[in-house]
Amino acid sequence: MTDSSLPPRRDSLTDDLLWRGLIQDSTGLDELRELLDGGGAAFYVGFDPTAPSLHVGHLMQVLTARRLQQAGHRPLLLVGGATGQIGDPKESAERTLNPPEVVAGWVGRIRDQLAPFVSYTGENAAQLVNNLDWTGEMSVVEFLRDVGKHFPVNRMLAREVVKARLETGISFTEFSYQLLQANDFFELHRRHGCQLQFGGSDQWGNITAGVDYIRRRGAGPVQAFTTPLVTKSDGTKFGKTEGGSIWLDPAMTSPYAFYQFWVNVDDRDVDRYLRFFSFRSREELEELAKATAERPAARLAQRALAEELTTLVHGEREMAQVVAASQALFGRGSLDELDLATLRAALTEAGLVQLEELPDVAGLLRDSGLVPSLKEARRVIAEGGAYVNNDRVTEADATVSTDDLLHGRYLVLRRGKRSFAGVELRR
């Protein structure tokens, strides 16, 4: 245990970011430290609306912005109403261009999603900005003369993603993306005194192009850093499951599924993710790592991460419902207290089958996939391992009625302590 007589460690912001592994590249660590540890600097981080919602991969940038504001810096959260219509080049192929009206709708949704993570009051109040405000009013001639003149093509061609696309082809539209992002940094520096940009490490080329462009325009100096890409030890892509991406929008990924994503984080990754995403102090995280090592089966670190992030993204009420569902589904709480949305989300994650009529319990166990056959179902029932809505079933020919349905539609089936599934009666 930490000696309570010792004062807690008070790292500088830069030291804390370095300890958490949140700085991968920078324009100069000494200059960055002077800016970050001085307090009060305006900074920006951008989000292109390429979908109707942000996903968990964006949390790295969202929560780093929150961290910087808590240290006294002023966030400029940019949603790319202009760059979202173009798309940063991918190594694989040309992006599909979304209609402007679709992008505009996504801009609004993402702005709303970003709003709860920062504060809009006080001396370092956050501000939401849209690069369409300055890019949309610029003519082609102005863009080529005022922006394009400052970008050597040989440097643009040296960018890794561009080199990867030269043989298969890259449009001028995507090739010019770097100029648009660089101009964003310049405009935010000119309009809002922005001194710092950060983003994912895959954005380093675009970010340094902006730093260089500001210098060529006779402005600055400005600083920049990147955060590492979040990876998984098993080699699969972070933020993806068999069901697809883990979104921040509760209509696209339920709070229950969001929570389960973090609870199921690999033991090899959880300490690193806690440093990236948690706002617990260094001492708290070290204590948590120690407790988790002593009781790995309890998954204390995963639960702490899941509870903190679910509360941040979805709020305390949803977090309480998710925890209640996680307990009730395994017989450690009341199913009757779960709201309809949480119950359905939990059963959908577990495996929800829809039936036109209700067979007996043995048939329900088989139809839900908890057992392969009626014979196996009857054996499980006889051995006392079958449950309907957390009530043990002991009769091989037991039946259920519509009075047993939760919210008039659902049954929770469980085999033993850990395997459960859901049934929905279609009416």
Side-chain angles (χ1 to χ4, degrees):
M1 298 293 289
T2 302
D3 186 344
S4 59
S5 66
L6 295 176
R9 184 189 289 109
R10 288 288 184 264
D11 288 338
S12 69
L13 173 60
T14 307
D15 288 336
D16 185 60
L17 294 176
L18 288 169
W19 177 79
R20 292 177 182 275
L22 290 173
I23 299 177
Q24 176 161 319
D25 305 295
S26 74
T27 45
L29 193 56
D30 290 341
E31 295 84 357
L32 182 64
R33 182 184 292 277
E34 182 178 356
L35 184 66
L36 288 175
D37 295 347
F43 68 90
Y44 110 83
V45 59
F47 304 88
D48 273 350
T50 56
S53 171
L54 299 175
H55 53 71
V56 291
H58 291 109
L59 282 178
M60 189 72 143
Q61 312 312 327
V62 174
L63 298 183
T64 300
R66 180 183 175 94
R67 220 178 283 280
L68 264 61
Q69 186 182 35
Q70 289 181 349
H73 300 290
R74 180 163 58 93
L76 299 166
L77 303 182
L78 184 147
V79 183
T83 46
Q85 295 186 48
I86 303 302
D88 195 15
K90 299 187 298 182
E91 288 192 7
S92 55
E94 194 84 4
R95 291 182 183 271
T96 301
L97 297 182
N98 293 301
E101 62 272 15
V102 171
V103 174
W106 291 349
V107 166
R109 294 181 61 163
I110 290 173
R111 285 167 65 102
D112 291 343
Q113 281 187 341
L114 290 170
F117 291 97
V118 291
S119 170
Y120 295 89
T121 60
E123 293 183 358
N124 64 331
Q127 187 172 349
L128 291 163
V129 293
N130 185 343
N131 56 19
L132 189 63
D133 292 344
W134 53 84
T135 308
E137 62 189 23
M138 185 182 296
S139 71
V140 173
V141 172
E142 288 174 323
F143 177 72
L144 293 174
R145 284 179 58 88
D146 297 342
V147 181
K149 185 69 174 176
H150 299 279
F151 286 83
V153 171
N154 60 319
R155 290 192 184 181
M156 296 177 66
L157 289 172
R159 189 181 172 202
E160 289 299 323
V161 69
V162 173
K163 288 195 292 186
R165 290 276 300 280
L166 284 179
E167 290 196 13
T168 58
I170 182 171
S171 67
F172 178 76
T173 299
E174 289 194 359
F175 184 63
S176 65
Y177 183 94
Q178 185 177 109
L179 280 68
L180 295 176
Q181 184 170 329
N183 190 54
D184 290 342
F185 199 177
F186 173 75
E187 288 293 337
L188 291 174
H189 179 66
R190 183 174 70 86
R191 296 169 183 236
H192 300 283
C194 181
Q195 297 173 269
L196 172 69
Q197 180 187 3
F198 72 88
S201 58
D202 60 332
Q203 292 296 306
W204 184 238
N206 291 337
I207 291 172
T208 54
V211 172
D212 187 57
Y213 175 55
I214 289 171
R215 179 187 62 79
R216 288 171 180 266
R217 292 291 297 261
V222 294
Q223 304 301 324
F225 72 91
T226 62
T227 60
L229 293 181
V230 186
T231 58
K232 294 174 65 177
S233 294
D234 63 7
T236 59
K237 189 172 182 180
F238 175 78
K240 296 280 189 179
T241 67
E242 291 182 1
S245 297
I246 303 298
W247 303 98
L248 304 193
D249 187 332
M252 298 174 69
T253 297
S254 71
Y256 181 86
F258 183 88
Y259 176 88
Q260 290 298 321
F261 170 79
W262 297 106
V263 163
N264 291 319
V265 162
D266 193 307
D267 290 342
R268 296 170 293 178
D269 296 323
V270 68
D271 288 345
R272 183 162 46 93
Y273 291 178
L274 279 163
R275 292 190 188 200
F276 287 166
F277 299 115
S278 174
F279 285 84
R280 286 175 168 83
S281 69
R282 182 170 180 172
E283 290 80 8
E284 289 172 314
L285 292 182
E286 289 172 346
E287 286 294 319
L288 182 57
K290 181 180 177 182
T292 301
E294 293 171 351
R295 298 173 55 208
R299 301 183 73 76
L300 298 175
Q302 283 91 341
R303 294 184 187 281
L305 180 64
E307 290 181 12
E308 182 174 359
L309 292 181
T310 305
T311 301
L312 265 175
V313 173
H314 296 295
E316 292 183 1
R317 182 186 177 280
E318 289 292 347
M319 178 61 224
Q321 276 287 309
V322 164
V323 171
S326 300
Q327 294 173 343
L329 290 171
F330 292 101
R332 298 190 297 271
S334 173
L335 291 167
D336 294 327
E337 295 178 3
L338 302 182
D339 64 37
L340 175 59
T342 303
L343 177 63
R344 180 175 177 81
L347 294 180
T348 299
E349 283 295 299
L352 180 64
V353 296
Q354 296 181 325
L355 300 177
E356 299 288 347
E357 57 184 26
L358 296 174
D360 59 17
V361 174
L364 288 170
L365 291 171
R366 179 199 59 191
D367 294 345
S368 67
L370 288 176
V371 296
S373 65
L374 287 175
K375 180 180 179 181
E376 179 67 9
R378 294 189 181 102
R379 185 188 67 78
V380 170
I381 293 171
E383 293 177 353
Y387 298 81
V388 176
N389 294 347
N390 286 339
D391 293 327
R392 177 177 280 149
V393 178
T394 57
E395 300 295 330
D397 57 352
T399 61
V400 295
S401 72
T402 54
D403 292 337
D404 297 313
L405 296 172
L406 300 168
H407 294 285
R409 296 169 62 183
Y410 299 103
L411 292 172
V412 177
L413 309 178
R414 181 157 50 89
R415 176 185 179 179
K417 293 182 178 180
R418 297 187 177 277
S419 300
F420 72 92
V423 170
E424 179 182 6
L425 181 62
R426 285 198 283 188
R427 299 187 175 187

